Amino acid sequence: MNIAFTVVSRNYLPAARSLAQSFLQHNPGWQFSIGLLERKSVTVEALPGEELLYVEDLAIPEFEAMNRQYSIFELSCALKPFYAHYFFNARGADRVIYLDSDILVFSAFRLYEQHPETEIFITPHLLASDGRVEQYELFMLQGGIYNGGFVGLRRGPQALDFLGWWKDRMTKYSFQGKPGLFVDQVWLNHAPAYFDRTCIVQDPGCNVAYWNLTGRKISGNYRVNEASDLIFFHYSGYKLGEPDRMSVYQDLLSFSSRPDVKPLFDTYAVMLRELGHDEYSRFKCTL
């Protein structure tokens, strides 16, 4: 059994559903689960074929303490390893993929076949070919070399050890803005040194986002630099209310300077609206 998942509160459900639909379109045979950060007293109607897995269903002993000390953003990041461990332990999954909800998938994940011995997959924010932009390099030194928007796992002793270690750290240190910390993401810096079955994914089609677009051009047939398939695009910082901005986190790139990526954002905006972005954005988290 192979399971992909994301973790969101109710107001981000349109993004999570866009991700789920795009993932399943290109990865038949997988299941997709949406981890829901709401109290079970809140009824959320699932779409046909959709699994909504409330955080309370995981019965995490430390959950209430984590909920008291973390913001919703910090909590959603902290729960990634708990959901992944649940899918291995309670569902018997063989492969598990976590993806941030602000992602769309454009082709199949072939990492597992390409790296049959790997148990942990992570993507660096920047490759050497991505332009070596100093501004982004400085941010990554603070926020993490690897992006927490994707983590792939294959059942094995190192993957399970990694999740146990990551869970422990997330019960205490999933803070944003404290010196030396950036939620779950900065902890991934340790993974390649601790676990030798970790693959640092070098495929430029994986986790394309504003921070690496300087070195990655997108063609109309969803190819990156005319050499690799676009696997998934990360719309980090994109807001429907600011449609002319690629990301609220940067001003180096614009749609006028990068018209090649504008169709990707147009596609994303349509999906979000069709799945009820305006309605769901009004909800407040009940945790």
Side-chain angles (χ1 to χ4, degrees):
M1 178 186 297
N2 302 325
I3 301 176
F5 75 102
T6 192
V7 180
V8 294
S9 51
R10 181 171 43 160
N11 54 327
Y12 281 93
L13 264 178
R17 285 168 166 166
S18 297
L19 165 63
Q21 290 180 11
S22 69
F23 183 91
L24 292 173
Q25 177 184 351
H26 296 286
N27 295 275
W30 283 69
Q31 298 180 18
F32 199 99
S33 181
I34 298 175
L36 194 58
L37 302 189
E38 302 289 346
R39 295 296 182 186
K40 293 190 74 173
S41 57
V42 174
T43 301
V44 180
E45 187 173 347
L47 298 180
E50 176 180 84
E51 180 185 34
L52 300 176
L53 183 60
Y54 283 83
V55 64
E56 289 180 88
D57 291 330
L58 272 62
I60 300 170
E62 307 91 343
F63 176 73
E64 292 302 337
M66 294 168 68
N67 190 27
R68 286 192 296 271
Q69 72 178 348
Y70 294 146
S71 69
I72 292 300
F73 171 68
E74 292 168 339
L75 184 62
S76 65
C77 294
L79 289 171
K80 296 175 191 179
F82 289 90
Y83 271 93
H85 187 265
Y86 173 86
F87 292 128
F88 281 125
N89 231 29
R91 299 285 181 84
D94 299 304
R95 301 174 180 180
V96 173
I97 289 176
Y98 168 81
L99 291 162
D100 274 356
S101 62
D102 55 352
I103 282 172
L104 286 186
V105 176
F106 291 88
S107 54
F109 280 76
R110 300 186 177 91
L111 296 170
Y112 292 94
E113 290 71 32
Q114 293 167 347
H115 304 278
E117 301 301 318
T118 294
E119 295 184 23
I120 304 162
F121 297 89
I122 53 178
T123 49
H125 282 100
L126 296 168
L127 301 174
S129 58
D130 289 330
R132 306 189 187 190
V133 180
E134 180 180 332
Q135 176 177 324
Y136 296 150
E137 289 175 337
L138 287 168
F139 173 75
M140 304 319 165
L141 289 176
Q142 301 173 59
I145 301 299
Y146 308 101
N147 182 251
F150 161 81
V151 176
L153 300 161
R154 173 189 273 115
R155 176 183 291 277
Q158 289 200 15
L160 296 175
D161 188 17
F162 164 72
L163 287 175
W165 165 79
W166 203 18
K167 283 168 56 179
D168 179 74
R169 300 302 182 265
M170 290 301 92
T171 63
K172 297 172 282 189
Y173 302 115
S174 184
F175 292 104
Q176 179 185 27
K178 289 194 174 184
L181 298 178
F182 187 74
V183 287
D184 65 300
Q185 185 169 275
V186 74
W187 291 96
L188 296 178
N189 288 355
H190 293 294
Y194 287 178
F195 308 100
D196 61 12
R197 291 200 171 183
T198 296
C199 174
I200 301 171
V201 179
Q202 300 285 322
D203 187 337
C206 288
N207 221 347
V208 183
Y210 73 82
W211 54 74
N212 54 40
L213 271 177
T214 302
R216 306 188 195 191
K217 306 293 183 183
I218 312 298
S219 59
N221 55 350
Y222 300 126
R223 297 279 286 173
V224 180
N225 298 336
E226 296 293 349
S228 304
D229 290 335
L230 174 60
I231 310 299
F232 62 100
F233 194 95
H234 197 159
Y235 298 85
S236 178
Y238 176 68
K239 307 293 182 185
L240 277 183
E242 300 185 53
D244 296 327
R245 296 187 69 184
M246 193 178 297
S247 171
V248 298
Y249 303 134
Q250 67 88 40
D251 292 305
L252 292 179
L253 300 174
S254 65
F255 292 125
S256 60
S257 66
R258 291 300 305 270
D260 58 311
V261 301
K262 186 62 164 62
L264 297 177
F265 285 82
D266 291 341
T267 296
Y268 190 46
V270 169
M271 292 186 73
L272 291 177
R273 290 195 174 95
E274 288 181 345
L275 287 165
H277 171 273
D278 293 343
E279 174 190 355
Y280 278 93
S281 64
R282 296 194 294 266
F283 290 120
K284 301 295 183 183
C285 182
T286 56
L287 292 178

